[in-house]
Amino acid sequence: MRVREAAKRIAIGAVLLAAVGMTAEAKTKVTSQPFGKLPAGTPVEIYTLSDGAYEARIATYGGIVVSLKTPDRNGKSADVVLGFDDVDGYVANFNGLSDAYFGAIIGRYANRIAHGSFTLDGQKYSLPKNNGENTLHGGPHGFNNIVWKAKPVVNGVELRYRSKDGEAGFPGNLTATVRYTLVKGDLRIEYSATTDKTTVVNLTNHSYFNLAGQGDILKHELTLHASRFTPVDAGLIPTGQWKAVESTPFDFRKPTAVGARINSDDTQLHLGRGYDHNWVLDSKSGQLAEAAEVYDPSSGRVLKVLTDQPGIQFYSGNFLDGSIKGKGGTPDVLHAALCLETQHFPDSPNHPDFPSTELKPGERYHTVTIYSFSTR
Ligand code: GLA
């Protein structure tokens, strides 16, 4: 009897603790409001996640991180991501062909698939091409260009999309969930997916960061915890090599200004028009670990990127040329921002020795990336 009573008390205590824990956890204010409509009339919502000095706004169109406000070392707030003021800006920029993908969720397959083709379980699949001979970021009808179903969750928003079997050329009905939460300066992105047919999946977020909130990122100091990278050919498709960064302009194992070596006479830099490569992370794949750090000496802002993914695409905004007018009509100049896209390696479905991106029925794709902001 006494034992049962004690057990009951413990159980009640646990329930109470869980309840308290839940309320204690909900630190961030989450609100939503209309963010315009797509040309076809589909309404788009925008979720605002605010936690004191930090604020993230996420659109249901493309799951786009529209703005991300963080304080500098003096407490002055700035928006540290590129984008547009309204949904019309994103729609106008989107053309399905090598778009800028500002802030968007990328799927089903982040980065390139050579010749838009791969073989899975003995069957050949062909994808629409949108980057010369190749398919980039899920092709012309990727996850960046759909309206996700959204619901508020503790400290954030959860987005859901069901991509049909054969959509954008990929096999299997794929149910994808992306959960954004913001707690203190940590923007956490949790991606999940299940399928009913063997498929490939590689999701990421394509935010363009500028920790100064203006100008270019050439003086941002970057650290990448990676001893190797995957060199590319002229179409930016990996050659299959895992090359040591040692003694190359790709060695960011110690903090180095992005612009310090970007114009070096290096074949890989010429091919990428700057940095646009996948680094092989030193951490054990599947375990959340720090992959990168960016420090802006002018504002004191620090961005740490944590992920459980095996790779990270560091893209130095090489295709920005001032032709895109972003927020407030400001032209997005060359190297106006950098992307750190946590991912599986580009073109993995055609490289059996790269970590596999296959997802089978009954399995769950699940990965976490945290963009963690602070100052120094
Ligand atoms: C990725 C690619 C780049 C470029 C951008 C979007 O980072 O690797 O080549 O296409 O996306 O413009």
Side-chain angles (χ1 to χ4, degrees), residues 98-101 111-112 131 136-137 206 208 236 276-277 313-315 319 339 341:
S98 304
D99 188 10
Y101 301 92
N111 213 282
R112 293 172 179 81
N131 189 237
L136 174 66
H137 293 331
H206 211 305
Y208 284 67
L236 300 187
D276 190 357
H277 296 77
Q313 184 85 10
F314 162 43
Y315 168 57
F319 295 112
C339 302
E341 304 153 63

Side-chain angles (χ1 to χ4, degrees), residues 45-65:
E45 300 281 306
I46 190 153
Y47 279 74
T48 304
L49 284 41
S50 28
D51 179 22
Y54 298 92
E55 183 201 83
R57 285 161 72 237
I58 319 279
T60 54
Y61 176 61
I64 293 169
V65 178

Side-chain angles (χ1 to χ4, degrees), residues 72-85:
D72 69 6
R73 61 161 81 84
N74 300 315
K76 192 167 170 257
S77 177
D79 184 0
V80 296
V81 293
L82 298 192
F84 300 101
D85 293 316

Side-chain angles (χ1 to χ4, degrees), residues 193-197 359-365:
T194 53
T195 182
D196 60 4
K197 224 188 235 180
L359 181 72
K360 295 189 167 56
E363 294 176 347
R364 182 168 175 256
Y365 169 89

Side-chain angles (χ1 to χ4, degrees), residues 2 147 229 251 318:
R2 262 194 209 155
V147 176
F229 75 108
D251 191 350
N318 316 326

